[in-house]
């Protein structure tokens, strides 16, 4: 293909007023990182669009990668030409020939921000449309639903010709909006919750509770594999692995069985909150969905949430399982999540957890034991690992971020 650049449109960033430059800079870094192994790429970002100069790199490969990057509304592979009509005609025809298939219809869409250009938009349409019709056999124009919409844009510095407008991932650039801690189990829901939060520009770190020997190394590996998928989206992913066995055993000694689930969740939340504070985060993210299981009734959330006033983001709260699974398939976490290995909570799960726990009761049960010390020990024993996407393992893109 003859494209020499990709034109990137920002979308939602463009409404960001005074912070706009910060958002654009963040996006530029994220794009740069995702293309860091393609040595010839150059990136030019200005206020209303970004150009990725290919310098010989493959436009389809670059397109595939930037399609996942948040903060991009749409993009178009394009060629830049001097604003000289004969040269533009040649370039338009060459590009058209390289993409056109027998029987396809077309139209020209002209856009002219440089009002000094010698042709107006109607004249551009007829001049270039006519030129292509004369040179390609059996071609017809369809202005309503053309197979190929050849866009010719006249700007001050040059003309740009493109034929496709490809939808991007939308959202806001990763890591442009502060940090949140994702409570990441091995299940289907929490990776999806993490992904959706990243889409709003948050930097997300994972916190996983691990209870060896009741949960196996393979259960831990599953969470690492899920983290790797999230790292594909954000460039890197920090995962905190919390040793939780001792606390779970203490809970089972201290708390009546039908309240163990409530206390387990409360303590997980307290530990996550302590790790959040250490890491400078401002929110906690979970994969909870209203009514899905005993711990996710409104009464349970009320009793669990009481341990912290930190904002808890629950992106899946009103989604049903099928909607969640669709996203899990899209982001390729679904098949990892359904691997059968047990999670710390399934091992200890009581036969009949309270679906409507009472706050005063759970507070009372917890008051006979000093969990603070165990919480502190768990936080201190937490391991933090940085996970990079498989596609970028060879270099070290992390420096660029901090
Ligand atoms: P998931 O599919 O994310 O596991 P779930 O539907 O199985 O969710 P629960 O097991 O009740 O629901 O967990 C609710 C939320 O609590 C999870 O989405 C996750 O955010 C958090 N959570 C559960 N178990 C763990 C764990 N071992 N480590 C970290 N967070 C956990
Ligand atoms: Mg689960």
């Amino acid at each position: 293909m003859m494209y020499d650049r990709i034109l990137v449109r920002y979308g939602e960033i463009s409404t960001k007023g005074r912070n706009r430059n910060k958002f654009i800079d963040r996006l530029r870094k994220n794009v740069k990182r995702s293309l860091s192994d393609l040595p010839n790429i150059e990136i030019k970002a200005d206020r209303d669009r970004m150009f990725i100069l290919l310098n010989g790199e493959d436009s389809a490969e670059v397109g595939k990668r930037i399609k996942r990057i948040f903060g991009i509304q749409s993009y178009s592979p394009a060629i830049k030409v001097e604003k000289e009509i004969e040269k533009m005609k040649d370039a338009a025809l060459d590009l058209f020939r390289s993409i056109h298939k027998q029987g396809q219809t077309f139209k020209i869409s002209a856009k002219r921000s440089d009002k000094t250009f010698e042709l107006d938009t109607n004249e551009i349409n007829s001049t270039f449309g006519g030129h292509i019709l004369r040179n390609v056999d059996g071609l017809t124009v369809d202005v309503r639903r053309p197979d190929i919409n050849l866009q010719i844009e006249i700007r001050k510095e040059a003309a740009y010709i493109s034929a496709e407008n490809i939808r991007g991932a939308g959202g806001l650039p990763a890591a442009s909006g502060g940090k949140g801690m994702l409570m990441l189990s091995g299940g289907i829901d929490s990776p999806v919750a993490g992904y959706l939060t990243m889409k709003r520009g948050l930097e997300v770190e994972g916190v996983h509770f691990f209870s060896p020997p009741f949960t196996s190394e393979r259960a831990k590996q599953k969470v690492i594999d899920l983290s790797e998928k999230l790292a594909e989206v954000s460039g890197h992913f920090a995962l905190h692995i919390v040793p939780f066995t001792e606390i779970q055993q203490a809970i089972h000694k201290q708390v009546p069985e039908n309240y163990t689930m409530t206390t387990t969740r409360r303590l997980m939340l307290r530990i996550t909150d302590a790790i959040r504070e250490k890491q400078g985060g401002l929110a906690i993210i979970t994969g909870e969905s209203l009514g899905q299981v005993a711990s996710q009734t409104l009464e349970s959330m009320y009793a669990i949430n009481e341990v912290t006033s930190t904002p808890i983001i629950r992106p899946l709260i009103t989604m049903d399982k099928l909607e969640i699974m669709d996203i899990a398939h899209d982001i390729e976490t679904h098949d990892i999540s359904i691997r059968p290995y047990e999670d710390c909570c399934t091992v200890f799960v009581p036969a009949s957890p309270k679906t409507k726990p009472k706050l005063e009761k759970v507070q009372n049960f917890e008051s006979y034991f000093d969990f603070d010390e165990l919480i502190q020990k768990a936080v201190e024993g937490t391991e933090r690992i940085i996970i990079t996407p498989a596609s970028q393992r060879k270099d070290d893109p992390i420096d660029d971020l901090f």
Side-chain angles (χ1 to χ4, degrees):
M1 198 61 67
M2 54 182 304
Y3 292 118
D4 65 13
R5 68 196 52 225
I6 293 181
L7 185 167
V8 173
R9 299 175 196 86
Y10 299 144
E12 221 178 309
I13 300 182
S14 41
T15 61
K16 290 294 168 223
R18 276 182 299 148
N19 282 329
R20 185 185 178 119
N21 287 342
K22 228 179 69 195
F23 280 90
I24 292 171
D25 196 47
R26 185 76 260 165
L27 181 64
R28 191 184 54 73
K29 282 189 175 138
N30 295 349
V31 169
K32 184 175 163 210
R33 199 181 48 230
S34 85
L35 304 175
S36 61
D37 58 328
L38 307 176
N40 299 319
I41 293 284
E42 279 176 81
I43 299 168
K44 294 213 157 79
D46 65 31
R47 272 187 70 75
D48 43 37
R49 55 179 58 193
M50 182 184 293
F51 284 112
I52 302 172
L53 308 185
L54 297 169
N55 296 321
E57 302 289 357
D58 179 29
S59 65
E61 174 62 26
V62 173
K64 202 177 88 193
R65 298 200 197 174
I66 65 171
K67 205 170 165 49
R68 311 171 72 121
I69 296 179
F70 294 133
I72 295 177
Q73 180 186 315
S74 69
Y75 63 91
S76 301
I79 42 178
K80 181 179 183 178
V81 219
E82 255 177 76
K83 286 188 292 185
E84 199 181 292
I85 291 172
E86 287 311 311
K87 282 189 183 159
M88 289 169 62
K89 275 183 174 173
D90 288 349
L93 182 59
D94 280 354
L95 174 62
F96 189 82
R97 280 190 169 131
S98 75
I99 55 178
H100 176 252
K101 293 189 195 75
Q102 198 59 38
Q104 284 185 322
T105 60
F106 88 115
K107 80 165 182 178
I108 305 278
S109 302
K111 206 169 150 191
R112 195 178 66 140
S113 56
D114 171 14
K115 303 292 178 202
T116 66
F117 188 65
E118 55 197 289
L119 305 178
D120 67 18
T121 50
N122 285 332
E123 290 165 339
I124 297 170
N125 288 342
S126 60
T127 303
F128 290 88
H131 183 65
I132 289 171
L133 278 171
R134 276 191 296 281
N135 286 284
V136 180
D137 283 342
L139 186 63
T140 50
V141 172
D142 181 345
V143 289
R144 291 231 177 75
R145 305 192 60 192
D147 297 312
I148 297 176
N149 181 4
L150 200 72
Q151 295 156 57
I152 301 182
E153 187 176 357
I154 315 288
R155 288 169 72 90
K156 212 169 98 221
E157 72 283 5
Y160 297 95
I161 305 176
S162 60
E164 277 182 289
N165 209 326
I166 302 159
R167 189 170 169 168
L172 295 169
S176 62
K179 189 190 282 187
M181 310 305 288
L182 168 68
M183 296 177 69
L184 183 61
S185 69
I188 292 174
D189 302 331
S190 41
V192 173
Y195 170 82
L196 292 173
T197 315
M198 287 173 173
K199 183 167 183 174
R200 298 312 302 167
L202 255 60
E203 182 185 351
V204 173
E205 295 194 4
V207 178
H208 177 66
F209 293 86
F210 181 53
S211 301
F214 303 102
T215 50
S216 65
E217 276 304 314
R218 285 183 305 183
K220 181 170 160 186
Q221 189 57 45
K222 183 175 162 183
V223 176
I224 292 174
D225 291 348
L226 289 169
S227 299
E228 205 170 88
K229 290 292 176 192
L230 292 173
E232 293 283 355
V233 179
S234 57
H236 80 295
F237 188 81
L239 176 64
H240 302 259
I241 298 180
V242 185
F244 201 50
T245 315
E246 217 179 323
I247 294 187
Q248 283 199 302
Q249 286 167 329
I251 294 170
H252 281 263
K253 257 191 230 138
Q254 295 301 320
V255 177
E257 184 176 296
N258 59 356
Y259 268 88
T260 53
M261 186 273 299
T262 310
T263 293
T264 304
R265 298 293 182 195
R266 282 164 61 89
L267 296 184
M268 278 183 167
L269 196 53
R270 285 174 66 182
I271 292 169
T272 304
D273 209 23
I275 296 172
R276 171 201 65 76
E277 203 178 341
K278 259 182 145 174
Q279 298 298 327
L282 296 174
I284 292 168
I285 303 134
T286 76
E288 289 164 303
S289 162
L290 207 49
Q292 209 185 66
V293 291
S295 61
Q296 297 174 25
T297 62
L298 215 47
E299 290 84 355
S300 275
M301 283 187 202
Y302 182 81
I304 294 165
N305 210 150
E306 188 252 352
V307 300
T308 180
S309 61
T310 300
I312 300 183
I313 299 174
R314 301 179 175 92
L316 313 184
I317 198 71
T318 62
M319 287 191 194
D320 61 45
K321 200 75 189 182
L322 290 176
E323 292 172 281
I324 299 168
M325 279 164 65
D326 279 348
I327 304 174
H329 280 295
D330 283 349
I331 63 172
E332 296 173 4
T333 54
H334 178 271
D335 292 358
I336 302 172
S337 293
I338 59 173
R339 288 183 206 156
Y341 316 122
E342 64 305 322
D343 173 10
C344 69
C345 309
T346 27
V347 178
F348 285 92
V349 80
S352 53
K354 268 255 177 270
T355 54
K356 296 185 176 183
K358 295 274 168 295
L359 181 59
E360 313 73 59
K361 281 197 173 173
V362 71
Q363 283 170 334
N364 179 43
F365 296 140
E366 288 172 16
S367 68
Y368 297 101
F369 185 79
D370 182 15
F371 284 105
D372 290 357
E373 208 175 303
L374 285 184
I375 288 175
Q376 202 187 330
K377 200 173 154 196
V379 172
E380 278 161 13
T382 294
E383 180 193 4
R384 183 176 192 259
I385 50 181
I386 304 281
I387 293 163
T388 50
S391 58
Q392 287 169 37
R393 202 59 48 75
K394 40 187 193 310
D395 40 39
D396 182 12
I398 296 159
D399 288 352
D400 188 34
L401 259 185
F402 302 109

